[in-house]
């Protein structure tokens, strides 16, 4: 679901499109131009049907964008950082960094999407009715009818109480409010999502057997996506429950071996990297401030012939793109930021000074300790925030 090209920003939120969105545009346009429109309004030219179908498909994408923008705007107002929005094959996704901090915020963020689609569907329906009252008709009104139906259908489908649909988020918010536990609530919503996904797959297979090929294939594809997404969300919720309450300082590796940003790559490899087992090296300036981050993976991309003339800062992840955290910050707040050019690493700062690094191996080690504690095989250790971090070999 990564963006293939960027459309720009709306309300300060980055909007992109994945190339797979062309498939859904083609499917919608073909279905309208060759099926729905000739059926409800026979006698028009093929060009007229095609033009109306393309307008309807574009308007539907705009409706999807409005749905996701509503999620993103409300999320930002509730203190959740928004990375951007991407339209893709199966609709759209608003990429949020972190989750809601209260069940009320979760409910508002999830509920505003279907509400937006219902409002858009109602507006399209009202416009179609007014057009008919005024004596208008033809393909423009047919386009409005389609937009009314598709937006209301989108809202109702998203309200199914099954993660990762909006209805699943609403279910999680309600269970969270009743139970006081966001993670068990997320597991329940994810299991409902997996059940619903398998039901769609079964329904799609039945339609394939009975000769409704394209519809069954589409249902099966959506069902498989829901099963995979719900399974991933359940795994994430279980992992988050085990990490809940842990501060970054209890997970990070340290002390950290820092590097001079102006050191040539070849000297660094022979004098530093080959002499240690670390794979992550923060770059610090003369005053000790973080000026970048290099990993062995980034150094590997430098050709051997260029290593003598290439400085570490030339291949480093710039400081603006390096995830950073304070030792007392909750680990769960950091995890959503550990992506991008830093190869999944984050730098821990205390008063502007580099004191540690958090890597995927650090998180994995902490999860393993939590599992051992939960199974009673680690005497003296507790779960969640009570898991003591075993010092690792250093920044990984």
């Amino acid at each position: 679901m990564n963006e293939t090209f960027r459309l720009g920003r709306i309300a300060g939120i980055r909007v992109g499109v994945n190339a797979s969105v062309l498939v859904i545009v083609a499917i919608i346009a073909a279905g309208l131009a060759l099926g729905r429109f000739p059926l409800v309004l026979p006698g028009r030219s093929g060009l007229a049907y095609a033009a109306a179908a393309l307008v309807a498909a574009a308007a539907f994408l705009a409706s999807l964008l409005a749905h996701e923008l509503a999620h993103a705007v409300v999320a930002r107002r509730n203190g959740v950082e928004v990375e951007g929005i991407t339209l893709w094959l199966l609709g759209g996704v608003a990429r949020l960094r972190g989750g809601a901090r209260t069940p009320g915020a979760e409910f508002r963020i999830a509920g505003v999407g279907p509400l937006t689609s219902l409002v858009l569907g109602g507006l399209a329906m009202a416009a179609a009715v007014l057009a008919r009252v005024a004596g208008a008709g033809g393909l423009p009104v047919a386009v409005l009818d389609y937009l009314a139906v598709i937006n209301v259908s989108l809202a109702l489908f998203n309200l199914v109480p099954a993660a990762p649909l909006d209805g699943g988020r609403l279910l999680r918010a309600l269970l969270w409010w009743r139970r006081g536990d966001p993670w068990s609530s997320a597991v329940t919503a994810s299991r409902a999502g997996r059940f619903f996904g398998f039901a769609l797959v079964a329904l799609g297979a039945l339609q394939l057997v009975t000769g409704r090929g394209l519809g069954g294939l589409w249902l099966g594809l959506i069902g498989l996506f829901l099963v995979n997404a719900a399974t991933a969300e359940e795994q994430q919720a279980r992992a988050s429950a085990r990490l809940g309450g842990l501060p970054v300082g209890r997970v990070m590796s340290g002390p950290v071996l820092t590097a001079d940003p102006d050191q040539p790559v070849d000297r660094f490899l022979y004098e530093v990297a080959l002499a240690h087992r670390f794979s992550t090296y923060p770059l610090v300036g003369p005053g000790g401030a973080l000026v970048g981050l290099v990993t062995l993976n980034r150094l590997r991309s430098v050709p051997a012939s260029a290593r003598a003339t290439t400085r570490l800062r030339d291949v480093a992840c710039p400081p603006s793109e390096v995830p950073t955290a304070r030792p007392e910050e909750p680990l769960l707040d950091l995890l959503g930021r550990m992506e991008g050019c830093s190869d999944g690493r984050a730098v821990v700062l205390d008063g502007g000074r580099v004191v540690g690094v958090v890597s995927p191996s650090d998180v994995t080690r902490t999860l393993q300790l939590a599992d051992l504690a939960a199974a009673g095989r680690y005497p003296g250790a507790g779960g969640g925030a009570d898991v003591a971090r075993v010092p690792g070999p250093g920044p990984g």
Side-chain angles (χ1 to χ4, degrees):
M1 290 183 287
N2 295 327
E3 63 181 40
T4 305
F5 57 90
R6 190 175 303 176
L7 296 180
R9 289 184 176 271
I10 301 177
I13 298 169
R14 190 175 74 188
V15 177
V17 173
N18 183 276
S20 63
V21 80
L22 298 176
V23 177
I24 187 63
V25 169
I27 291 175
I28 291 175
L32 292 175
L34 301 177
R36 180 184 177 93
F37 288 163
L39 182 64
V40 298
L41 290 170
R44 272 67 171 181
S45 67
L47 183 60
Y49 290 137
L54 287 174
V55 170
F60 173 62
L61 288 183
S63 300
L64 284 177
L65 179 57
H67 180 111
E68 299 303 332
L69 270 174
H71 283 311
V73 170
V74 173
R76 196 167 57 181
R77 290 180 178 175
N78 283 271
V80 179
E81 185 178 352
V82 180
E83 182 182 344
I85 293 172
T86 302
L87 299 179
W88 69 300
L89 175 64
L90 296 181
V93 58
R95 300 187 305 280
L96 309 181
R97 289 185 175 178
R101 298 184 180 277
T102 66
E106 177 89 343
F107 192 90
R108 290 188 291 272
I109 294 170
V112 72
L115 178 61
T116 300
S117 294
L118 282 174
V119 170
L120 291 175
L123 290 175
M125 189 180 303
V129 170
L130 290 175
R132 287 190 172 92
V133 170
L139 287 172
V141 177
V143 169
L144 290 173
D145 288 336
Y146 168 76
L147 291 176
V149 171
I150 197 65
N151 274 288
V152 172
S153 300
L154 177 65
L156 295 178
F157 180 76
N158 269 280
L159 284 173
V160 174
L165 299 175
D166 294 333
R169 310 276 187 242
L170 294 172
L171 174 62
R172 176 182 183 241
L174 291 172
L175 293 176
W176 182 3
W177 174 66
R178 291 193 63 182
R179 298 176 181 174
D181 180 1
W183 310 122
S184 67
S185 303
V187 169
T188 301
S190 298
R191 288 178 176 175
R194 194 159 60 244
F195 176 82
F196 182 58
F198 279 126
L200 289 183
V201 171
L203 182 59
L206 179 63
Q207 290 193 359
L208 283 173
V209 171
T210 56
R212 298 177 61 185
L214 184 59
L217 186 63
W218 192 247
L219 274 181
L221 180 63
I222 295 175
L224 285 175
F225 167 74
L226 291 178
V227 169
N228 290 331
T231 301
E233 287 203 4
E234 180 176 351
Q235 293 172 347
Q236 182 181 10
R238 292 186 179 279
S240 297
R242 298 199 295 273
L243 297 174
L246 273 176
V248 170
R250 293 279 294 278
V251 180
M252 71 181 188
S253 292
V256 181
L257 187 61
T258 59
D260 179 359
D262 293 315
Q263 187 174 21
V265 170
D266 61 345
R267 280 186 54 199
F268 174 79
L269 289 174
Y270 288 110
E271 296 176 6
V272 180
L274 293 179
H276 299 85
R277 292 183 296 170
F278 304 158
S279 64
T280 307
Y281 299 88
L283 305 183
V284 297
L290 180 70
V291 297
L293 182 76
V294 293
T295 62
L296 294 185
N297 187 50
R298 296 185 72 83
L299 295 176
R300 195 179 295 119
S301 65
V302 181
S305 59
R307 289 174 181 172
T309 57
T310 303
R311 300 174 301 169
L312 292 179
R313 70 165 70 243
D314 296 330
V315 294
C317 182
S320 60
E321 298 182 30
V322 177
T324 61
R326 302 180 308 279
E328 67 275 11
E329 181 178 343
L331 176 63
L332 292 180
D333 290 351
L334 172 63
L335 292 181
R337 307 198 302 270
M338 291 174 61
E339 57 184 18
C341 74
S342 64
D343 292 333
R345 273 71 171 172
V347 177
V348 185
L349 303 176
D350 189 4
R353 182 174 59 91
V354 176
V355 295
V357 168
V358 178
S359 70
S361 60
D362 294 318
V363 178
T364 299
R365 183 170 59 248
T366 303
L367 285 171
Q368 290 171 343
L369 285 172
D371 288 339
L372 288 173
R377 295 192 295 263
Y378 195 97
D386 296 326
V387 174
R389 189 184 68 83
V390 176

